[in-house]
Amino acid sequence: MHEVALATPDDFEGWRTAARALVMAGIPPEEVEWRAEGDPVPLFGGGPPPAPPADAPPPRVPRGFPDLAQLVIRHRDPGRFALLHGLLYRLQHERGLLDDAADPAVSRANAMARAVRRDAHKMHAFVRFREVRVEDGALAAPLAAPDPVAVPDTPAPARNARSVALALRDHGALEEAAEAPPAPPAPRAPEPPPESRFVAWYEPEHHILRAESAFFTRRFAMLRWSILTPALSAHWDGEAVTFGPGARRADAPAEDAAETLWRAYFASIFNPARLKPDAMRAEMPRKYWRNLPEAQDIPRLMQEAPRRVAEMVARGATPPVERRQRAIHLPAIIRAAQPEAAGSVDSPMPADLLTPNESFAEAQAALRRDLLARNDLPPWTANATQPVMGEGPQHPLLMFVGEQPGDEEDLKGHPFVGPAGRLWNKALEEAGVTRDEAYVTNAVKHFKFTPTGKRRLHQSPDAGDITFYRPFLLREIDFVGPRLIVTLGATALRAVSGRAMPVTKLRSSLLRDPEGRPFYPTVHPSYLLRLPDPAAKAREYDRFVEDLGQAAATARNLPAR
Amino acid sequence: MELREKLEILADAAKYDASCASSGTEKRDSRDGGLGSTEGMGICHAYAPDGRCISLLKVLLTNACVFDCAYCINRASSNVRRARFSVREIVGLTLDFYRRNYIEGLFLSSGIIRSPDYTMEQIVRVARELREVHGFKGYIHLKTIPDADPALLAEAGRHADRLSINVELPQQSSLKTLAPEKDAGRIRVAMAGLRTRIEEAKEARAEAARPRVAMKGGPRAAAPRFAPAGQSTQMIVGADASTDATVLDTSTHLYGSYRLKRVYFSAYSPIPDASALLPPVAPPLVREHRLYQADWLLRFYGFTAPEIMAGGENGMLDLEVDPKLAWALKHRWMFPVDINRADREMLLRVPGLGAKTVDRVLSSRRVRSFRMADLARLRVSLRKVAPFITAIDHHPRAGLLDRQDLRAMLVPRDGLADRAAILPGGLMPRPVQLPLFAHA
């Protein structure tokens, strides 16, 4: 039997050095007694283990082992060192051991690591600092650095904490809150005075204080704090953490002025109609309550809850208050919020009775308004962000009609800004058409899609959708008045012509719609994006540019409208 | 009014907002100055007796409001006492609570007063003061007012970790009835705007992190910061007649459209001052819980909304059992699943196997064939999985999966279902005292 004594209960470095030597010396785990400060003295003491042979290869471990071991070392189970030694020993010939979570030793180590992680997480959550003025009550635990003496001409502050918030009473608060004057520019809220120290009493389950003090250092680097636990205390002076002996609860301050406010908050944020004490206890077990100031109120809050809810239900609805909140601004907010309903007697003439001298912008706005005011929109439109209307000049050379807005168009509210739109833009430029010669819109004004996890899959509009939006498109064609319409893809072709027709057969030809207006069908740029073969893509793209050039040339020879 | 009274009124007014998360943001700490840190993981500093996590100081700037939403305690026509914090008071409270380790940061919302811009400006001012005057590095979640000026939203995103806009109700028609001043379309446009900005900032940060060859023109400007923890929203459940199917459909669309980090469900809860449109009833807490479970299956278990709804009836989820078990009970022919051979997708469908457990089973399977005791070591509830799996030493009793009363056996009753009928002898996960002469 060999005996290995470690300096502290969480002495990972000591354990690692000893365990490496043991594995190199080929000493199996069952021949070693591990002991750390505070552990029971082993039954069979032994001498220290022999030094390993000089030529022994150092043990190798998979990447996850050091992290696991560091957590397990902090567990309070006296068997932790032997368990880890056993794992290290087996890892030399069982390479994938850690991936087998069902192995009894791995499962036990994982459970210990989980317990330590949870303990650390609860410590981050449940440590409660209390502010003390150092010259008032020296801490029982030795502090790392001498405290600076308070400036002599400042009056001695009250014993214990002085809450900043309490100094901030606002005597000007009005019942009618909306009338309160705007707050003056805030002066700097007083920072805690330099002679303040934040002290907490905490009882962790495992040996985690040394490791977890780093969390508090990162978070409260500019404060000076101490965390007192039964076995160890940690003190931060702004430069370094010093560890001192364990403490008693009485060594920590007994109160803090901010606690009244905190307890008031805790009681108010609780919703008595949702009483679920088991859920609370699962995450905040009773053992923590004695060190949580807010937990004092839990029994009372639980006891009062049923009565409070019964009263609310019994009271039922209350009559609306006489004096409503001042709503001077409400009309403006509402007006901005709601499109003008179409069709009431007082509203202006509906847009389809447009007089020719109505401005182009007004006609566009009216079209959007009328679309939004419809109560028979296809149900899927409720999932779209917004209708995407056409954009461009009046009486353009070309009016492009696409299928429907895509993901980006739906988010931004502008047509042809997504991948297909960018490609179309490029082709337009190469065809020698400037943007001020082109108006662009879609046959269907909302984005139709199927949600799949994080992406929205474009869904083609069906005949019913095209039919619904067609009158809006025809009205748009009327007030835009292009020389030539270019339909991009099958949906646009169908919407303009009123019939289902094959794009591939009709593309690049000049046709007339039922009203006798000329239009020119071609493919939709998204078709180019979907072609997998780069050669075919380049060929088709060139043909698309050619189409656009031909359409422009044709349009230039058509009369302006 | 005393600060404490204000705090009581304005925390009470904020408690109907479910979100209190403080997770998912960038890492920061105070070693280079300031106060506070964020480490990616949220921390719940306390739990109220309603079982909810208290992570942030969740308050309203004011509970005065010109809107008159029937489900809201703060609506214009409510008799509730009104209060308003000054910017300085909220800043002081946040810092005081933070230094004592009560909270992770601040969640600030507000009733709408004067105008959307005015209100948003006040909210932004609190965040600006915390960040710029006090070097606060804790978590900030700001409610965003849909109609506020984009410049204000940009500043809100610069200071906040997370932004949220509540859709409140699953259907536009309900919103029209219960919240006449709200507009579903504009809420969605605002969410779309947030998604666009969040993604632009993310791309810019990734771009800035990429090593580059030295260029003329000196160092690049720092990438703009915009809500690194993304956006979330909330839907009230039980205030209107929407079915669970509608709620899940809406939330699926919202996740897909605006890349929300989270859609919160909040059971409509009686308020001390109820509107005649919505008289107080007990909140549908179980329904809310089932919706969260369904939401989880949608996001992490490869279920589709129609599949989940197939486990229930008439567009409502089964309240007695969780949606995964409900689905399994209606698809019994797909079971039992061989724990040693089934693929990941099928294992994820076994009631009682979580995503993490499934990954562990898959990695352990390379070196061992599973017996029930091995599963127990992965912290699996054997009672829950037993009817649905086979292992080396376990086959569900013949006919068990065809029994009419299987559901009744699996419905948790005081934590004790009819174990003996499910598990073959010798596989009692926990010893149960059986009466000497059991009733036949």
Side-chain angles (χ1 to χ4, degrees):
Chain A
M1 234 0 171
H2 307 286
E3 190 179 321
V4 180
L6 297 173
T8 61
D10 56 346
D11 181 8
F12 177 71
E13 284 308 320
W15 174 85
R16 190 168 69 164
T17 310
R20 277 171 65 99
L22 288 166
V23 170
M24 284 157 74
I27 297 170
E30 53 274 15
E31 288 176 24
V32 184
E33 285 280 8
W34 293 88
R35 205 154 61 79
E37 174 206 9
D39 284 350
V41 177
L43 287 171
F44 317 101
D55 58 348
R60 298 180 41 201
V61 293
R63 211 180 331 178
F65 183 73
D67 291 348
L68 176 71
Q70 288 196 50
L71 286 168
V72 172
I73 284 278
R74 296 171 205 155
H75 200 280
R76 61 163 190 242
D77 185 330
R80 62 194 179 279
F81 305 115
L83 174 74
L84 288 172
H85 181 196
L87 286 175
L88 182 64
Y89 192 82
R90 283 174 64 197
L91 276 168
Q92 301 317 304
H93 47 268
E94 296 176 53
R95 278 268 159 260
L97 176 61
L98 291 190
D99 296 330
D100 180 12
D103 175 272
V106 174
S107 154
R108 199 173 142 218
N110 283 342
M112 282 186 182
R114 223 176 6 251
V116 168
R117 258 196 306 263
R118 181 177 161 94
D119 198 33
H121 189 73
K122 292 302 179 195
M123 181 173 181
H124 300 169
F126 297 151
V127 156
R128 295 283 182 265
F129 286 114
R130 285 170 167 163
E131 191 180 8
V132 286
R133 307 301 296 276
V134 176
E135 75 267 358
D136 282 352
L139 294 168
L143 294 178
D147 291 295
V149 183
V151 188
D153 61 355
T154 49
R159 161 123 186 89
N160 259 340
R162 179 203 46 76
S163 163
V164 175
L166 286 179
L168 289 175
R169 278 181 205 155
D170 182 347
H171 297 292
L174 298 174
E175 186 56 44
E176 177 66 275
E179 295 284 9
R188 288 181 69 110
E191 301 295 342
E195 64 276 15
S196 257
R197 178 171 281 272
F198 289 83
V199 182
W201 163 253
Y202 191 73
E203 299 170 75
E205 278 194 49
H206 303 286
H207 307 288
I208 59 170
L209 178 61
R210 218 182 299 272
E212 298 315 321
S213 62
F215 167 86
F216 294 96
T217 302
R218 288 192 295 274
R219 178 157 291 198
F220 301 115
M222 295 295 157
L223 303 178
R224 290 178 316 142
W225 52 260
S226 296
I227 299 174
L228 314 180
T229 78
L232 190 72
S233 58
H235 310 280
W236 170 255
D237 61 0
E239 298 290 329
V241 178
T242 318
F243 294 100
R248 295 160 309 152
R249 177 193 314 254
D251 298 331
E255 56 187 9
D256 181 295
E259 279 173 17
T260 317
L261 286 167
W262 172 237
R263 286 172 58 183
Y265 174 72
F266 182 79
S268 306
I269 204 73
F270 161 57
N271 183 348
R274 301 182 53 105
L275 191 63
K276 279 190 186 174
D278 291 349
M280 166 185 68
R281 279 189 290 258
E283 295 294 343
M284 195 168 81
R286 266 180 191 283
K287 65 181 179 216
Y288 293 108
W289 292 13
R290 59 175 184 264
N291 296 325
L292 295 171
E294 65 273 24
Q296 302 170 50
D297 303 315
I298 291 174
R300 179 180 56 83
L301 293 171
M302 282 170 51
Q303 198 192 341
E304 291 171 354
R307 183 180 49 77
R308 287 170 67 191
V309 181
E311 278 173 8
M312 278 193 258
V313 175
R315 201 181 312 133
T318 50
V321 64
E322 279 301 313
R323 186 175 53 94
R324 284 182 47 138
Q325 292 292 313
R326 289 190 336 150
I328 313 172
H329 308 275
L330 192 56
I333 297 174
I334 305 302
R335 238 202 328 277
Q338 291 175 337
E340 265 174 61
S344 90
V345 183
D346 310 326
S347 67
M349 289 289 265
D352 51 358
L353 301 177
L354 281 182
T355 46
N357 57 12
E358 180 165 18
S359 84
F360 180 50
E362 261 170 55
Q364 285 180 295
L367 186 73
R368 183 174 196 275
R369 235 189 354 257
D370 291 357
L371 178 63
L372 282 172
R374 287 285 284 259
N375 58 6
D376 58 344
L377 280 161
W380 55 263
T381 58
N383 294 316
T385 301
Q386 55 200 328
V388 179
M389 308 307 283
E391 284 176 9
Q394 193 173 17
H395 306 303
L397 182 71
L398 297 171
M399 174 172 181
F400 289 90
V401 181
E403 183 191 52
Q404 64 166 348
D407 186 69
E408 279 186 65
E409 287 84 4
D410 173 81
L411 294 174
K412 299 195 169 104
H414 300 292
F416 279 69
V417 292
R422 288 191 285 271
L423 190 68
W424 166 80
N425 238 321
K426 187 168 155 254
L428 199 64
E429 206 174 306
E430 288 183 32
V433 182
T434 59
R435 276 310 301 268
D436 59 15
E437 293 177 305
Y439 181 97
V440 57
T441 191
N442 282 303
V444 167
K445 308 292 189 207
H446 287 91
F447 178 35
K448 188 176 188 181
F449 65 96
T450 317
T452 57
K454 288 207 156 184
R455 290 192 52 244
R456 303 196 282 179
L457 280 186
H458 162 278
Q459 229 187 319
S460 295
D462 58 30
D465 300 328
I466 297 171
T467 307
F468 176 84
Y469 288 96
R470 190 158 185 261
F472 292 94
L473 177 68
L474 296 182
R475 218 168 94 186
E476 194 177 15
I477 291 171
D478 271 339
F479 68 66
V480 170
R483 288 194 194 200
L484 177 65
I485 298 163
V486 179
T487 64
L488 304 170
T491 300
L493 177 56
R494 179 168 188 165
V496 170
S497 68
R499 292 191 293 135
M501 304 207 275
V503 174
T504 40
K505 281 204 180 119
L506 298 177
R507 90 181 267 187
S508 324
S509 52
L510 187 65
L511 305 172
R512 301 253 166 202
D513 74 2
E515 309 283 315
R517 279 174 300 218
F519 72 97
Y520 180 96
T522 181
V523 295
H524 194 280
S526 66
Y527 154 76
L528 308 176
L529 291 174
R530 282 196 302 269
L531 289 169
D533 173 35
K537 206 178 224 155
R539 200 173 49 243
E540 280 295 326
Y541 176 75
D542 291 341
R543 198 174 157 201
F544 182 61
V545 173
E546 213 172 297
D547 269 358
L548 298 191
Q550 204 193 355
T554 310
R556 289 186 219 281
N557 295 325
L558 286 167
R561 298 181 62 224
Chain B
M1 197 188 285
E2 286 276 350
L3 181 62
R4 181 179 159 170
E5 255 182 299
K6 286 190 187 186
L7 177 60
E8 284 168 347
I9 293 171
L10 293 167
D12 189 284
K15 74 183 169 201
Y16 303 97
D17 213 305
S19 168
C20 203
S22 56
S23 54
T25 192
E26 62 198 1
K27 278 195 170 190
R28 304 186 289 266
D29 67 47
S30 61
R31 283 173 300 182
D32 54 353
L35 168 74
S37 64
T38 50
E39 314 214 339
M41 255 243 285
I43 298 175
C44 290
H45 283 273
Y47 289 83
D50 51 18
R52 285 184 158 179
C53 152
I54 298 176
S55 177
L56 305 170
L57 169 62
K58 183 161 49 176
V59 287
L60 298 191
L61 190 69
T62 175
N63 63 338
C65 190
V66 293
F67 282 19
D68 205 30
C69 309
Y71 49 79
C72 183
I73 174 78
N74 308 311
R75 67 188 184 283
S77 60
S78 152
N79 296 279
V80 73
R81 276 190 74 193
R82 311 280 175 173
R84 176 172 176 181
F85 277 127
S86 69
V87 169
R88 207 170 25 154
E89 285 170 327
I90 298 195
V91 168
L93 274 173
T94 306
L95 296 172
D96 267 352
F97 282 5
Y98 195 90
R99 286 187 196 112
R100 287 161 178 77
N101 203 39
Y102 300 160
I103 53 170
E104 282 297 280
L106 174 68
F107 172 115
L108 186 60
S109 175
S110 180
I112 300 201
I113 48 172
R114 303 197 188 181
S115 72
D117 278 356
Y118 174 81
T119 312
M120 197 69 223
E121 214 284 315
Q122 295 293 307
I123 290 175
V124 167
R125 193 186 287 184
V126 172
R128 182 193 315 140
E129 188 121 340
L130 277 168
R131 294 283 193 230
E132 290 177 359
V133 179
H134 302 280
F136 181 65
K137 288 181 171 165
Y139 198 93
I140 297 181
H141 177 153
L142 299 179
K143 263 288 160 240
T144 313
I145 301 183
D147 315 301
D149 186 311
L152 285 169
L153 295 192
E155 196 184 349
R158 209 166 48 242
H159 301 309
D161 291 290
R162 175 167 289 181
L163 298 173
S164 61
I165 302 172
N166 287 357
V167 295
E168 303 294 19
L169 296 169
Q171 298 181 78
Q172 211 157 339
S173 53
S174 325
L175 210 57
K176 277 206 172 79
T177 320
L178 297 176
E181 297 94 353
K182 287 205 180 203
D183 177 76
R186 280 174 343 138
I187 289 173
R188 283 202 302 274
V189 170
M191 283 182 167
L194 291 187
R195 172 186 153 180
T196 305
R197 285 167 188 270
I198 288 165
E199 287 179 351
E200 279 169 2
K202 212 183 239 163
E203 278 161 29
R205 273 204 305 276
E207 182 64 41
R210 243 172 256 142
R212 298 182 315 154
V213 285
M215 272 175 50
K216 288 169 292 193
R220 203 173 359 181
R225 196 177 165 288
F226 197 89
Q231 61 170 329
S232 63
T233 192
Q234 164 169 304
M235 245 187 284
I236 300 169
V237 178
D240 66 349
S242 299
T243 59
D244 290 343
T246 305
V247 171
L248 287 177
D249 183 63
T250 303
S251 81
T252 308
H253 279 97
L254 290 172
Y255 276 121
S257 298
Y258 311 118
R259 306 275 163 90
L260 298 172
K261 282 280 187 290
R262 207 53 204 282
V263 175
Y264 289 93
F265 304 118
S266 177
Y268 176 66
S269 169
I271 46 181
D273 205 77
S275 147
L277 284 176
L278 268 184
V281 287
L285 295 181
V286 179
R287 185 181 171 199
E288 180 198 271
H289 180 58
R290 295 287 178 237
L291 282 166
Y292 274 124
Q293 289 176 317
D295 177 62
W296 214 252
L297 294 181
L298 283 171
R299 290 192 299 147
F300 306 113
Y301 286 76
F303 280 74
T304 61
E307 278 181 319
I308 291 172
M309 292 323 304
E313 302 285 342
N314 309 324
M316 295 303 275
L317 294 165
D318 193 326
L319 291 180
E320 274 190 326
V321 295
D322 69 81
K324 198 171 166 187
L325 180 54
W327 178 86
L329 286 168
K330 294 211 172 173
H331 297 76
R332 297 181 190 200
W333 66 90
M334 299 178 85
F335 297 98
V337 165
D338 184 347
I339 194 88
N340 288 306
R341 305 175 66 127
D343 61 5
R344 183 165 196 276
E345 212 174 334
M346 197 59 223
L347 287 174
L348 283 173
R349 302 237 155 185
V350 176
L353 291 186
K356 258 197 186 126
T357 306
V358 167
D359 290 340
R360 289 206 177 105
V361 168
L362 291 171
S363 98
S364 276
R365 246 171 31 179
R366 291 198 292 256
V367 294
R368 72 170 60 235
S369 292
F370 268 82
R371 296 171 174 275
M372 291 301 262
D374 297 326
L375 268 185
R377 277 197 295 273
L378 297 185
R379 300 193 307 150
V380 170
S381 158
L382 299 189
R383 197 181 67 73
K384 225 177 159 176
V385 299
F388 300 101
I389 60 163
T390 62
I392 297 286
D393 59 348
H394 168 78
H395 290 270
R397 298 201 159 181
L400 177 67
L401 278 167
D402 303 326
R403 281 177 63 157
Q404 291 288 312
D405 57 352
L406 177 62
R407 187 171 187 282
M409 289 184 201
L410 291 167
V411 171
R413 294 199 295 266
D414 310 317
L416 283 182
D418 192 355
R419 280 170 222 199
I422 293 173
L423 290 163
L427 257 183
M428 296 287 185
R430 284 179 306 224
V432 189
Q433 282 237 310
L434 289 171
L436 209 48
F437 303 101
H439 296 287

